[in-house]
Amino acid sequence: SNDGYITFYNSGTGGTISNSVLDNVYINAQEGSPTFDNNEVSNVLIAFYLGTSTSTVSNNTIIDCGDAFEMGTTGVPNFANNTITNTRAVINLLDTNGTGENVSLIKYQYPYRMVSSLTITNGSLTIDPNVEIDLRQYVINLNGSTISADQVNFKSTYNSNDGYITFYNSGTGGTIS
């Protein structure tokens, strides 16, 4: 799309955007820990792309966007009291982890929606109880890695293609209950 955007790059990047109107402008917080409070974001494909940031996203109104949020698997943003209208209230999940990293998917008030396959090599995947993950047509690949997932709702809603979880190579295992 031809949306404008405000970008925060590099760890240590911070600041605050508050009480602002962003029409056809989205937030691209690749890294860092900026705060977005009490803004109105409208008419963009994804309102907040949060990458691997630890942003705080609170009290915002998101209207007429495609999706509310997108983040990397190693991002840990804080969400609170956002109002979402005519927008898919999901967190699109991108694979941003590297070899040997541990990924934790924490319980937010929004479900996860995979937009790429996730591969974890020589690390671990921990998913909090009551998390909902729409795999769509994507795959969670565990390569020499472990998984811990208790009371997680895995589903696939993308046409006739099924999402799935694969375990391969020695050292791979864990519990899905």
Side-chain angles (χ1 to χ4, degrees):
S1 73
N2 293 321
D3 301 324
Y5 54 93
I6 299 170
T7 298
F8 294 81
Y9 283 115
N10 301 321
S11 61
T13 303
T16 300
I17 296 178
S18 61
N19 303 308
S20 298
V21 174
L22 294 90
D23 185 17
N24 287 312
V25 176
Y26 67 93
I27 298 296
N28 183 7
Q30 295 283 328
E31 295 180 354
S33 55
T35 298
F36 309 104
D37 183 59
N38 202 36
N39 299 292
E40 180 181 298
V41 182
S42 61
N43 302 309
V44 291
L45 184 60
I46 297 167
F48 291 91
Y49 174 76
L50 301 172
T52 60
S53 76
T54 55
S55 298
T56 298
V57 182
S58 59
N59 305 307
N60 296 286
T61 301
I62 301 168
I63 305 169
D64 297 327
C65 297
D67 296 325
F69 309 106
E70 187 163 291
M71 65 181 250
T73 51
T74 54
V76 188
N78 298 298
F79 298 107
N81 304 316
N82 295 293
T83 302
I84 301 173
T85 305
N86 293 331
T87 299
R88 205 173 7 241
V90 297
I91 300 169
N92 288 337
L93 188 63
L94 292 169
D95 186 354
T96 56
N97 64 297
T99 299
E101 289 200 71
N102 300 319
V103 174
S104 294
L105 299 180
I106 64 175
K107 172 74 172 132
Y108 290 115
Q109 63 267 41
Y110 313 107
Y112 290 98
R113 180 177 177 262
M114 291 181 61
V115 293
S116 68
S117 289
L118 167 61
T119 299
I120 298 176
T121 302
N122 301 323
S124 66
L125 172 60
T126 303
I127 306 172
D128 283 354
N130 303 309
V131 165
E132 181 180 311
I133 301 174
D134 183 354
L135 298 174
R136 303 178 71 224
Q137 77 272 30
Y138 299 105
V139 179
I140 296 175
N141 294 301
L142 300 172
N143 179 6
S145 300
T146 60
I147 186 170
S148 176
D150 183 33
Q151 300 177 31
V152 174
N153 180 10
F154 293 99
K155 66 180 184 177
S156 179
T157 61
Y158 191 80
N159 296 329
S160 62
N161 295 326
D162 297 326
Y164 54 93
I165 300 171
T166 60
F167 298 85
Y168 56 98
N169 292 327
S170 64
T172 300
T175 303
I176 300 175
S177 59

